[in-house]
């Protein structure tokens, strides 16, 4: 079985995996650009590790909305 290595697209660090399962939480983006973009029909995918995510959102003028998820029983 071929093991796919996974990397953070931003810093290039290899992400921790075990048997193809990610052992750290990352931002996984899959974006299918549509008609109103200049990239119509293009599918873009990338992963951003948590450290890079934190650095990335520091540059946001409006920070991401944060809601603490409460456990639902
Ligand atoms: Zn990174």
């Amino acid at each position: 079985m071929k093991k796919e290595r996974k990397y953070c697209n931003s810093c290039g660090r290899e992400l921790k995996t075990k048997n193809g399962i990610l052992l750290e939480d990352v931002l996984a983006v899959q974006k299918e650009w549509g008609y109103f973009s200049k990239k119509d029909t293009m599918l873009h995918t990338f992963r951003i590790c948590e450290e890079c995510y934190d650095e990335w959102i520091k540059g946001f003028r409006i920070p991401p909305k944060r809601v603490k998820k409460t456990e639902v029983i």
Side-chain angles (χ1 to χ4, degrees), residues 8-26:
C8 168
N9 282 72
S10 183
C11 65
R13 183 171 65 79
E14 187 175 348
L15 302 166
K16 294 179 203 87
T17 56
K18 193 178 181 185
N19 302 320
I21 309 291
L22 269 174
L23 296 181
E24 53 184 299
D25 208 358
V26 299

Side-chain angles (χ1 to χ4, degrees), residues 26-70:
V26 299
L27 172 71
V29 175
Q30 181 166 313
K31 171 62 182 169
E32 205 179 316
W33 291 98
Y35 182 73
F36 296 106
S37 74
K38 296 184 183 77
K39 301 180 248 327
D40 194 11
T41 71
M42 285 287 291
L43 179 68
H44 287 189
T45 58
F46 60 87
R47 290 187 191 89
I48 299 290
C49 73
E50 192 176 4
E51 292 80 45
C52 290
Y53 172 83
D54 288 342
E55 284 303 311
W56 186 33
I57 63 169
K58 275 184 199 169
F60 285 16
R61 298 219 175 165
I62 300 166
K65 190 172 172 182
R66 292 161 209 235
V67 179
K68 177 124 180 96
K69 278 214 302 192
T70 46

